[in-house]
Amino acid sequence: MNKQKRFWMRTIILTVLASAVVYVVYSSLTMDKEKSLDNGDEAPNFALTDLQGMKHVLDDYKGQGVFLNFWGTWCKPCEYEMPYIQSQYEQFTDKGVQVLAVNVNEADFVVEKFRDRHKLTFPIVIDKNNLVQQSYLINNLPATYLIDKDGRVVDYTTGSLTEERIQQMMEQIKP
């Protein structure tokens, strides 16, 4: 009888494991690929406050290109690209291209320390309730949307950017 109990116990365990494997495979095959807004879509408007207390409304930037970067202080690829974004911001801000860096729900103090350590001068806003992150369908950081002078999405990319790539992107949205 003892052998029979072990046989049934093993059979049940193997059935549960096999079911789990089948579920994982099925889920990964049927899961939606990472979504983003499509090129040509109107960029969702938002209003967020920067570290100095100034309100930034995306629609107020119409007529200019916007390099909209979602990031976090804990994200190493985000930290890697920040000096390059700063460098290109200095080159393009007088040419009608603005940077809006949207931090995803971190404390002001932590973001201020990061900003000061990296000597960042472009506007940094904090999405405290993740509503902007959700409206832009952001899952992975860093993520960057290029928005043209008419407020339309031109491009979307995730992952760390080189300075050359940032320069190309800013050229692309220069009015």
Side-chain angles (χ1 to χ4, degrees), residues 72-137:
T73 62
W74 47 266
C75 165
K76 288 299 176 193
C78 301
E79 186 171 10
Y80 171 81
E81 72 184 7
M82 282 296 171
Y84 303 141
I85 295 172
Q86 176 63 38
S87 173
Q88 293 306 306
Y89 170 72
E90 292 169 5
Q91 300 297 317
F92 280 86
T93 191
D94 292 335
K95 298 176 184 175
V97 176
Q98 296 301 316
V99 170
L100 273 180
V102 180
N103 176 272
V104 291
N105 198 16
E106 292 186 272
D108 290 10
F109 175 74
V110 173
V111 177
E112 287 169 355
K113 280 181 60 176
F114 184 94
R115 176 203 60 200
D116 295 346
R117 184 170 69 245
H118 293 284
K119 299 176 175 65
L120 304 176
T121 61
F122 49 79
I124 296 173
V125 295
I126 300 177
D127 186 13
K128 295 198 182 285
N129 52 18
N130 293 355
L131 291 177
V132 177
Q133 181 182 0
Q134 290 170 10
S135 69
Y136 278 83
L137 307 170

Side-chain angles (χ1 to χ4, degrees), residues 22-80:
V22 168
Y23 174 76
V24 168
V25 170
Y26 174 78
S27 294
S28 66
L29 292 175
T30 60
M31 182 175 61
D32 288 341
K33 300 296 179 208
E34 184 176 346
K35 295 179 181 177
S36 65
L37 299 172
D38 291 328
N39 292 353
D41 286 352
E42 187 168 340
N45 191 31
F46 61 85
L48 292 173
T49 304
D50 68 19
L51 296 171
Q52 288 76 36
M54 187 173 148
K55 190 176 193 177
H56 293 265
V57 179
L58 183 63
D59 279 353
D60 291 347
Y61 287 91
K62 284 197 176 167
Q64 303 175 71
V66 177
F67 185 93
L68 184 62
N69 181 260
F70 291 84
W71 67 285
T73 62
W74 47 266
C75 165
K76 288 299 176 193
C78 301
E79 186 171 10
Y80 171 81

